[in-house]
Amino acid sequence: MDSDSISILTSKAPTKREEELPDSTDALLSSSDAPQKSSTKSVLFISLVLSTCVALSAAIAIAFLFFSSSSSSNSESINEVARPLTKLKHPVVLLISSDGFRFGYQFKTYTPNINRLIKNGTEAESGLIPVFPTLTFPNHYSIVTGLYPAYHGIINNYFTDPETNEVFTMASHEPKWWLGEPLWETVVNHGLKASTYFWPGSEVHKGSWNCPKDYCMFYNSSVPFEERVDTVLKYFDLSSSDIPSFMTLYFEDPDHQGHQVGPDDPLITEAVANIDEMIGKLIRGLEERGVFEDVTVIMVGDHGMVGTCDKKLIFLDDLTSWIEIPTEWVQYYTPLLAICPPSGYSPKDVVAKMNEGLKSGKVDNGQYLSVYLKEELPSRLHYAASDRIPPIIGLVQEGYKVEQKRSTRQECGGAHGYDNAFFSMRTIFIAHGPQFARGRKVPSFENVQIYNLVTTILNIQGAANNGTASFPQSILLPSH
Ligand code: AMP
Ligand code: ZN
Ligand code: ZN
């Protein structure tokens, strides 16, 4: 991880000063052993001893209070271990994605059901950090593979393969695009069952995963959310050996509304309340089946959302005095500018000329766009090691957009895809289940850590990935 590191609350060790107290007591006592002759000296000595005793007793009392309180909370966390399954015969992880659920949306309105998961589960205190680019397909696939987009191959929602010139879209299901090993494939490789109620990549036949009928739903945005929840709940009515060990459930909201109106509109509040109702329906269904406490529910989003209502625009045509960027060179405009100049043009030269224009002070909002050779992007973005990533990438400041030319179109809505360092791009991580402590907050982490977390909960060996091997131990309860 680049910015936030994982730390767990550990018991506080005694301070140096507290450890030294007995030694200074010894010193005081030995000095009092010296014979005293004058009465003044005796009075002084007695008052010194008395005040020292009072101070010492106070210090001991404070130290006692400190150690007793820290050891009681400590013993609670030390004693807390994973809770045994009571009804299910094997662990089940239900991974839920609410698209574009920006971190903080959970405070927009009364969300009793999401709050219930938070209160009795473990939450990333300042949200889950998406991968760059903060777009739907790259992020959903990072969550289920533990790989950065450069390594799992889905480097954008749309892109062109530079070798074949074939175009990837959100409807491309040929396995050649989808690298890495998604969780459903890992699970099936271990002889367990998996089910997917939508997730980017889930329809793709890969290895032992062939998107089985009834266990793998083909994407159809018009299926009502209630129907999705009901189908997932029905899996728990199957015989024990048929209940999938890993399930996904996907909702398009509140991303859908976020694009239309930005993150601060009442429409978002309504969408968040509706997602909360879906979580409530799910919890009720699991409770009716007596399995709520046995199932691990992990609720995440893929990225956040930022308002783009302020005419914060940068036009490529404004750079013509320095370099002409024809539309055919541009694979993706915004918020991630991706340019692939034809052979014969030096990408380095193009970057230099673009940046010269942008920094000249003569291009509207030019200072808010920085253009890089992909190898020179900040390494924390992990966005270079794939031929699919075009050679030139532009990063804009929060809320800015890049367009080819000026138009009279009124721009007002929401967007994502920006640098994953922006807080507005953060989303949620809430986990509730037998291996998660109740009411625990953990520091923010990147979504590539989730793959190892799920394989650890399911007690299966995962494929190699960009997550940290020790991450699950830092967030899960010990087994005994
Ligand atoms: P984005 O443009 O990054 O906001 O993408 C969000 C959109 O991705 C959603 O509104 C859906 O229309 C689309 N989407 C989500 N999952 C899938 C899927 N499995 N297959 C095709 N499209 C999807
Ligand atoms: Zn999304
Ligand atoms: Zn979106």
Side-chain angles (χ1 to χ4, degrees):
M1 269 170 311
D2 302 301
S3 48
D4 300 54
S5 59
I6 318 297
S7 69
I8 342 168
L9 284 175
T10 51
S11 63
K12 192 175 177 297
T15 62
K16 189 72 192 139
R17 202 178 125 55
E18 288 153 356
E19 282 169 352
E20 279 167 2
L21 272 175
D23 294 339
S24 45
T25 315
D26 281 352
L28 191 85
L29 287 177
S30 60
S31 73
S32 71
D33 285 346
Q36 302 293 319
K37 292 218 170 93
S38 82
S39 60
T40 323
K41 273 188 182 163
S42 303
V43 170
L44 270 174
F45 173 72
I46 289 165
S47 44
L48 184 66
V49 169
L50 278 176
S51 58
T52 309
C53 284
V54 169
L56 203 59
S57 328
I60 290 167
I62 289 166
F64 175 77
L65 281 176
F66 171 77
F67 283 117
S68 59
S69 69
S70 69
S71 65
S72 71
S73 64
N74 192 26
S75 63
E76 264 167 35
S77 59
I78 282 174
N79 289 339
E80 202 173 351
V81 291
R83 299 175 289 279
L85 299 180
T86 58
K87 184 149 186 212
L88 289 176
K89 299 281 181 289
H90 57 79
V92 172
V93 175
L94 170 54
L95 181 63
I96 306 172
S97 164
S98 174
D99 202 311
F101 198 114
R102 172 173 162 166
F103 179 73
Y105 277 3
Q106 70 272 31
F107 305 117
K108 273 189 179 284
T109 185
Y110 181 55
T111 51
N113 302 297
I114 295 173
N115 284 352
R116 185 168 166 196
L117 297 180
I118 294 173
K119 210 169 135 227
N120 296 299
T122 296
E123 183 191 22
E125 189 158 27
S126 310
L128 178 66
I129 304 171
V131 293
F132 179 80
T134 52
L135 295 167
T136 298
F137 269 53
N139 272 279
H140 275 94
Y141 207 52
S142 284
I143 293 170
V144 295
T145 57
L147 295 168
Y148 291 113
Y151 304 97
H152 67 49
I154 308 302
I155 55 110
N156 203 319
N157 286 347
Y158 305 92
F159 58 90
T160 305
D161 183 320
E163 270 178 33
T164 61
N165 268 334
E166 284 175 282
V167 176
F168 172 87
T169 71
M170 295 198 274
S172 299
H173 296 144
E174 301 91 344
K176 65 179 178 193
W177 298 109
W178 305 81
L179 314 177
E181 186 180 295
L183 278 165
W184 42 82
E185 188 186 346
T186 308
V187 165
V188 170
N189 281 345
H190 284 80
L192 304 173
K193 287 204 157 61
S195 69
T196 52
Y197 211 123
F198 304 159
W199 200 278
S202 60
E203 298 103 327
V204 179
H205 292 212
K206 269 185 106 275
S208 47
W209 175 255
N210 57 3
C211 186
K213 189 174 170 296
D214 299 333
Y215 282 91
C216 168
M217 305 300 153
F218 244 75
Y219 185 66
N220 174 0
S221 60
S222 57
V223 179
F225 292 175
E226 288 83 355
E227 193 178 321
R228 305 180 193 191
V229 174
D230 282 333
T231 304
V232 165
L233 286 172
K234 288 211 184 84
Y235 291 131
F236 291 95
D237 298 331
L238 295 170
S239 67
S240 171
S241 59
D242 282 334
I243 299 177
S245 297
F246 174 70
M247 310 180 187
T248 70
L249 173 60
Y250 169 82
F251 302 115
E252 288 83 357
D253 294 355
D255 177 77
H256 176 69
Q257 295 80 359
H259 283 293
Q260 293 174 334
V261 292
D264 298 316
D265 191 277
L267 216 60
I268 300 292
T269 314
E270 230 176 81
V272 168
N274 186 44
I275 292 294
D276 185 69
E277 273 176 34
M278 291 307 110
I279 300 297
K281 180 176 168 61
L282 178 80
I283 293 175
R284 275 193 308 281
L286 293 174
E287 279 182 325
E288 279 159 21
R289 290 162 175 82
V291 295
F292 175 54
E293 291 299 336
D294 279 0
V295 176
T296 300
V297 175
I298 301 180
M299 182 180 181
V300 296
D302 52 346
H303 50 71
M305 185 66 69
V306 71
T308 52
C309 216
D310 303 315
K311 279 269 163 211
K312 293 176 169 175
L313 296 173
I314 301 143
F315 302 103
L316 294 185
D317 279 359
D318 287 357
L319 290 172
T320 311
S321 312
W322 292 270
I323 183 166
E324 201 164 315
I325 310 285
T327 51
E328 307 82 66
W329 292 17
V330 184
Q331 277 202 15
Y332 209 82
Y333 278 94
T334 202
L336 152 80
L337 177 65
I339 296 176
C340 187
S343 54
Y345 286 84
S346 145
K348 199 173 172 191
D349 228 43
V350 175
V351 167
K353 286 187 173 133
M354 286 183 77
N355 280 331
E356 195 189 328
L358 292 166
K359 293 195 173 92
S360 66
K362 293 176 188 155
V363 170
D364 281 353
N365 295 324
Q367 69 272 35
Y368 300 115
L369 168 63
S370 302
V371 181
Y372 299 85
L373 285 174
K374 67 176 176 183
E375 303 80 24
E376 289 170 7
L377 280 167
S379 59
R380 63 184 174 75
L381 298 175
H382 307 280
Y383 201 61
S386 166
D387 289 345
R388 295 177 182 179
I389 301 172
I392 299 172
I393 298 294
L395 301 181
V396 285
Q397 284 299 310
E398 209 170 14
Y400 283 84
K401 285 170 108 180
V402 182
E403 292 183 359
Q404 186 70 36
K405 56 175 181 290
R406 286 164 199 284
S407 72
T408 50
R409 200 152 39 105
Q410 284 294 307
E411 295 283 337
C412 203
H416 54 87
Y418 298 89
D419 189 336
N420 62 348
F422 294 134
F423 260 64
S424 57
M425 293 299 107
R426 284 202 185 178
T427 181
I428 48 165
F429 173 90
I430 301 161
H432 181 282
Q435 300 188 44
F436 286 100
R438 297 193 188 278
R440 183 170 177 205
K441 307 282 181 222
V442 292
S444 293
F445 56 88
E446 283 187 319
N447 66 16
V448 292
Q449 304 290 2
I450 293 174
Y451 179 90
N452 287 340
L453 190 59
V454 174
T455 55
T456 304
I457 296 169
L458 297 179
N459 202 16
I460 56 177
Q461 181 66 45
N465 65 86
N466 297 122
T468 316
S470 59
F471 177 78
Q473 281 69 46
S474 75
I475 171 169
L476 292 175
L477 289 168
S479 51
H480 51 264

